């Protein structure tokens, strides 16, 4: 098969349609007219004698053979872009860096490091994308994002984890609750409590379910609410309904008086979540990633960065997706 007529732009268009599952949206993202994009993809399909996309479906779906073409197109583009990286290492601290962040870290981590990072590296255009763990991992594997911030350990093949800190878990209680009289809360103390949780898909939810069930022999009462923020859970508890569990950076953002009135730590060994910077093992933008990690570690509270929890105190996040 003579592939001399195959172009890099055609491969980019194929990957764009796969990502957006729409010829129209892919064209908009590629800054080209839809007819021009469609024509180039059609040329690629004719050259390979393969129908890459089933256009009769909405959204567009990738055919079985097309899936293999898309996978190879992504690899080809990744290696093509490495030519520029290899020739311009000194230019690496510029350009766009796409950073995925899980929702339970986004509101607390971004305000800590973003201003410092943008001042120190004005030539880097940092694009921040909110993504749950499974989406973040897929983005890393497919090259849609350059790095990520998530709860670990995930132990996913092809993804490297650089631990940043360990963040504790705290119990948030309503006014007048009996457990407020205690200095520390044991997991078993929550056995008969209504524990409000984030919606499904959040790794923090999985960690809390593990934490709350660890000492329960007779089951427990967890209450789900379709919400994406700790602020909502705290508001529910403030209304007098149940209790919830929140991470340490959320607690530290509360006024001291509110912390004293509503928040209690867990008994030692306190449960924590490990927070790491993730990137593909064969990542090329090493200097930009190093700069991000340095900014994050500098901006995080030193006691979180230097914390050395017991191994069994680190709660496992959501299991990685199957291949």
């Amino acid at each position: 098969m003579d592939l001399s007529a195959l172009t890099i732009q055609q491969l980019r268009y194929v990957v764009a349609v796969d990502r957006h599952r729409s010829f129209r949206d892919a064209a908009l993202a590629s800054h080209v007219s839809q007819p021009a994009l469609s024509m180039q993809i059609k040329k690629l399909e004719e050259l390979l004698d393969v129908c890459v996309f089933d256009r009769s479906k909405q959204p567009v779906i990738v055919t079985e053979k097309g899936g293999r073409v898309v996978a190879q197109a992504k690899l080809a583009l990744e290696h093509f872009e490495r030519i520029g990286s290899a020739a311009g290492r000194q230019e690496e601290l510029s350009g766009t860096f796409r950073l995925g962040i899980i929702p339970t870290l986004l509101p607390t981590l971004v305000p800590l490091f973003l201003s410092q990072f943008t001042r120190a590296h004005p030539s880097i255009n940092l694009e921040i994308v909110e993504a749950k763990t499974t989406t973040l991992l897929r983005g890393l594997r497919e090259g849609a994002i350059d790095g990520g911030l998530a709860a670990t350990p995930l132990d996913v093949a092809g993804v490297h984890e650089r631990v940043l800190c360990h963040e504790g878990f705290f119990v948030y209680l309503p006014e007048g609750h009996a457990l407020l009289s205690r200095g520390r809360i044991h997991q078993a103390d929550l056995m008969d409590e209504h524990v409000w949780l984030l919606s499904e898909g959040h790794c923090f939810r999985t960690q809390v379910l593990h934490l709350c069930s660890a000492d329960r022999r007779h089951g427990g009462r967890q209450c789900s609410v379709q919400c994406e923020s700790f602020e909502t859970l705290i508001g529910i508890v403030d209304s007098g309904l149940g209790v919830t569990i929140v991470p340490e950076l959320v607690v530290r953002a509360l006024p001291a008086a509110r912390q004293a009135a509503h928040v209690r730590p867990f008994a030692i060994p306190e449960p924590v979540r490990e927070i790491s910077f993730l990137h593909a093992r064969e990542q090329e933008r090493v200097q930009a990633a190093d700069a991000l990690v340095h900014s994050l570690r500098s901006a995080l509270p030193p006691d979180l960065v230097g914390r050395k929890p017991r191994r069994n105190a680190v709660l496992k996040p959501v299991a990685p997706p199957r291949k």
Side-chain angles (χ1 to χ4, degrees), residues 159-175:
V159 175
H160 184 64
E161 302 174 1
R162 299 172 66 176
V163 177
L164 299 173
C165 70
H166 291 89
E167 183 183 22
F169 286 63
F170 287 77
V171 183
Y172 189 93
L173 302 153
E175 186 176 351

Side-chain angles (χ1 to χ4, degrees), residues 46-304:
E46 290 172 352
L47 181 63
L48 300 178
D49 194 24
V50 169
C51 179
V52 178
F53 299 107
D54 184 347
R55 295 159 172 81
S56 68
K57 306 292 185 180
Q58 291 297 327
V60 171
I61 65 172
V62 182
T63 65
E64 183 178 351
K65 287 186 177 180
R68 294 196 288 270
V69 171
V70 170
Q72 292 303 315
K74 290 174 180 176
L75 285 174
L77 289 172
E78 181 180 336
H79 286 282
F80 178 78
E81 289 169 359
R82 287 178 183 175
I83 296 174
S85 297
R89 287 288 183 181
Q90 70 280 7
E91 303 294 331
E92 199 171 356
L93 287 178
S94 64
T96 297
F97 192 96
R98 295 157 294 182
L99 180 67
I101 307 180
I102 61 172
T104 57
L105 288 176
L106 186 69
T108 52
L109 278 192
V110 172
L112 286 179
F113 82 93
L114 185 58
S115 177
Q116 171 189 326
F117 181 80
T118 53
R119 285 197 307 269
H121 306 286
S123 296
I124 295 181
N125 175 32
L126 187 64
E127 289 186 359
I128 294 175
V129 180
E130 184 178 47
K132 291 181 181 178
T133 303
T134 51
T135 303
L136 191 154
L137 290 172
R138 184 170 64 249
L140 283 173
R141 289 195 299 266
E142 295 178 352
I145 61 174
D146 300 303
L149 295 173
T152 55
L154 295 169
D155 301 321
V156 175
V159 175
H160 184 64
E161 302 174 1
R162 299 172 66 176
V163 177
L164 299 173
C165 70
H166 291 89
E167 183 183 22
F169 286 63
F170 287 77
V171 183
Y172 189 93
L173 302 153
E175 186 176 351
H177 196 285
L179 290 177
L180 287 170
S181 63
R182 304 190 183 185
R184 290 184 176 270
I185 307 296
H186 290 84
Q187 291 159 260
D189 294 334
L190 302 177
M191 185 171 63
D192 296 320
E193 299 292 338
H194 286 285
V195 182
W196 289 98
L197 307 171
L198 294 172
S199 58
E200 291 192 19
H202 289 281
C203 57
F204 193 86
R205 172 192 172 95
T206 301
Q207 291 169 313
V208 170
L209 283 172
H210 173 75
L211 174 64
C212 290
S213 64
D215 288 341
R216 295 186 181 195
R217 294 191 178 96
H218 308 292
R221 297 187 290 173
Q222 292 98 20
C223 302
S224 297
V225 57
Q226 294 302 311
C227 79
E228 307 295 313
S229 73
F230 294 114
E231 190 175 87
T232 301
L233 297 182
I234 288 173
I236 292 172
V237 174
D238 282 340
S239 71
L241 298 174
V243 305
T244 194
I245 295 173
V246 292
E248 191 166 352
L249 289 175
V250 170
V251 170
R252 293 191 183 200
L254 297 174
R258 196 171 181 190
Q259 292 182 37
H262 294 277
V263 179
R264 294 294 180 270
F266 277 97
I268 297 172
E270 301 123 313
V272 300
R273 65 169 173 174
E274 182 179 273
I275 298 172
S276 297
F277 176 83
L278 310 180
H279 62 80
R281 292 196 187 277
E282 295 186 2
Q283 185 197 25
E284 287 299 309
R285 305 218 57 204
V286 177
Q287 292 183 29
D290 287 346
L292 261 172
V293 170
H294 176 74
S295 287
L296 283 158
R297 286 178 175 157
S298 299
L300 283 162
D303 56 320
L304 268 65

Side-chain angles (χ1 to χ4, degrees), residues 2-11 43-45 47-48:
D2 182 8
L3 299 182
S4 60
L6 190 65
T7 69
I8 292 294
Q9 196 60 60
Q10 288 168 348
L11 297 181
K43 286 183 177 180
L44 176 143
E45 290 177 320
L47 181 63
L48 300 178

